[in-house]
Amino acid sequence: MFRRTTRRTTRRTIRRTALTASAAVLTLATGCGAADMTRQASPFANAGGAKTVTLSVQSWVGAQANVAVAQYLLEQELGYRVDTVQVDEVPAWDALSQGRVDALLEDWGHPEQEQRYVKDKKTVTRAGDLGVTGHIGWYVPTYFAEQHPDIKDWRNLDKYADEFRTPESGSKGQLMDGSPSYVTNDKALVENLDLDYQVVFAGSEAAQITQIRQFAKERKPFLTYWYSPQWLFEKVPMTEVKLPPHTEGCDADPAKVACGYPHTPLQKYLNTDFAETGGEAAAFLKNFRWTTEDQNEVSLMIAEQKLSPEEAAKKWVERHESTWRAWLP
């Protein structure tokens, strides 16, 4: 996926990325609702002598897919008891630092948290690339881009603003975002690029997906904040609108952002104590590395085929033994 008005400096502060299934699916998958990690810890966290692992899961289906497969293999192959806790991106760093969760498997880039916890406090440790590169951008349906090829350049967006109007955007074109909690620079971009658009939040990834699919069913034009990797591209082909190129530091001041989002290799992080004493589980999570295609395969089973995360993970594991065997310590 982004991703989320806690500003993730564009995927170095990016986001995405958004639960590709519904919030209800995620709640069932994690066994809990959104957690306030300042007050809640996993029931397994810090259980003395227990062979347990606690994984943070974010509210988009790609993150859910990572956790589902990691959990399945930790339990079935290494004999761990695994708990998952749903927590938003920035609070997840606090929880990781405090040892309330052991691992965060998909981070889209939070430089401030990385500086505080990895470099200064050293309570969080890098665990390597996930193997997936994330990117946020603005997209239109491909059927519209084929009819109006110049829409692929942001400088032509105002030409089509009337076609993107909705009741929610009033007299302006609508730029649809997901949740205000995702990393997004879109309000600043609209203002600083002087565009005749209004950012309208769908409220969640699931709500945004529902709206996108409805627009596509009716063959209506739309402009949306979206991200890859994301399974929805397979169901609703979309074409990116090229924003001004991203350069290092162009998004440093949230109010002055006038550049697009970067392409960001997604990262894994472990609680430092767990990284040092977590044994086979820590070694396995450091080794866990798969492709965008792998993640999308599991995401599609969860979000589109309505399999439970455990069922989707089991199917993927059965099909890809040569991949996951290399992760085992």
Side-chain angles (χ1 to χ4, degrees):
M1 68 275 256
F2 39 63
R3 285 187 355 111
R4 315 182 235 261
T5 323
T6 26
R7 178 182 182 274
R8 317 165 2 214
T9 125
T10 73
R11 267 350 203 193
R12 263 207 103 201
T13 253
I14 307 189
R15 128 196 170 349
R16 142 290 185 267
T17 82
L19 173 62
T20 280
S22 66
V25 172
L26 182 58
T27 300
L28 290 172
T30 60
C32 63
D36 178 356
M37 293 306 298
T38 63
R39 291 190 294 231
Q40 176 178 335
S42 157
F44 301 155
N46 302 316
K51 193 175 180 181
T52 65
V53 180
T54 305
L55 304 178
S56 171
V57 58
Q58 280 68 54
S59 63
W60 57 93
V61 80
Q64 189 180 0
N66 304 326
V67 170
V69 170
Q71 178 176 0
Y72 186 86
L73 290 170
L74 282 165
E75 291 177 343
Q76 301 300 320
E77 295 293 326
L78 297 177
Y80 282 81
R81 185 175 62 175
V82 179
D83 183 37
T84 61
V85 178
Q86 181 184 345
V87 55
D88 287 340
E89 292 171 273
V90 171
W93 279 84
D94 299 329
L96 194 61
S97 174
Q98 297 164 14
R100 295 175 179 267
V101 298
D102 296 316
L104 172 62
L105 299 184
E106 182 175 316
D107 183 77
W108 285 69
H110 291 82
E112 293 180 6
Q113 281 69 34
E114 187 177 345
Q115 178 67 45
R116 180 181 303 123
Y117 296 124
V118 177
K119 298 177 182 178
D120 296 341
K121 292 188 174 183
K122 304 186 188 306
T123 52
V124 173
T125 295
R126 299 174 190 270
D129 287 358
L130 175 63
V132 176
T133 296
H135 176 61
I136 291 173
W138 292 0
Y139 292 84
V140 295
T142 298
Y143 55 76
F144 189 81
E146 289 174 346
Q147 295 171 349
H148 307 283
D150 61 340
I151 193 67
K152 292 182 282 188
D153 187 326
W154 70 271
R155 287 168 290 196
N156 297 318
L157 282 171
D158 277 355
K159 176 180 174 181
Y160 298 99
D162 287 351
E163 297 197 49
F164 295 122
R165 284 181 183 172
T166 67
E168 291 75 21
S169 66
S171 62
K172 298 177 179 291
Q174 175 177 281
L175 170 56
M176 180 167 55
D177 274 44
S179 167
S181 69
Y182 294 165
V183 167
T184 173
N185 298 321
D186 286 358
K187 286 188 175 180
L189 281 168
V190 166
E191 180 177 353
N192 295 329
L193 297 179
D194 195 24
L195 295 173
D196 190 26
Y197 283 80
Q198 176 71 40
V199 175
V200 176
F201 291 97
S204 67
E205 184 189 63
Q208 192 176 6
I209 287 171
T210 297
Q211 186 64 75
I212 288 172
R213 299 189 82 160
Q214 185 61 38
F215 279 134
K217 181 179 179 181
E218 299 173 6
R219 303 289 288 184
K220 289 183 177 180
F222 63 85
L223 175 66
T224 189
Y225 162 106
W226 205 235
Y227 34 84
S228 61
Q230 228 291 341
W231 64 271
L232 188 63
F233 284 109
E234 296 186 28
K235 300 299 178 179
V236 180
M238 289 183 274
T239 298
E240 186 170 6
V241 175
K242 295 299 183 183
L243 293 167
H246 182 272
T247 57
E248 188 67 29
C250 72
D251 52 3
D253 185 340
K256 296 180 179 179
V257 177
C259 59
Y261 298 89
H263 290 78
T264 301
L266 306 183
Q267 301 296 308
K268 300 172 297 176
Y269 292 91
L270 304 180
N271 170 271
T272 296
D273 287 343
F274 174 75
E276 296 172 353
T277 64
E280 289 185 328
F284 167 80
L285 293 172
K286 291 175 185 176
N287 292 339
F288 185 104
R289 180 183 173 89
W290 62 353
T291 65
T292 296
E293 291 73 24
D294 290 325
Q295 188 187 83
N296 279 342
E297 181 179 343
V298 178
S299 297
L300 194 61
M301 286 190 278
I302 295 171
E304 183 70 9
Q305 299 174 21
K306 306 304 181 186
L307 272 63
S308 71
E310 182 179 7
E311 291 170 334
K314 183 175 186 294
K315 282 184 175 292
W316 185 89
V317 166
E318 290 171 347
R319 297 170 183 170
H320 299 278
E321 184 172 356
S322 61
T323 299
W324 60 261
R325 281 286 176 195
W327 306 339
L328 300 180

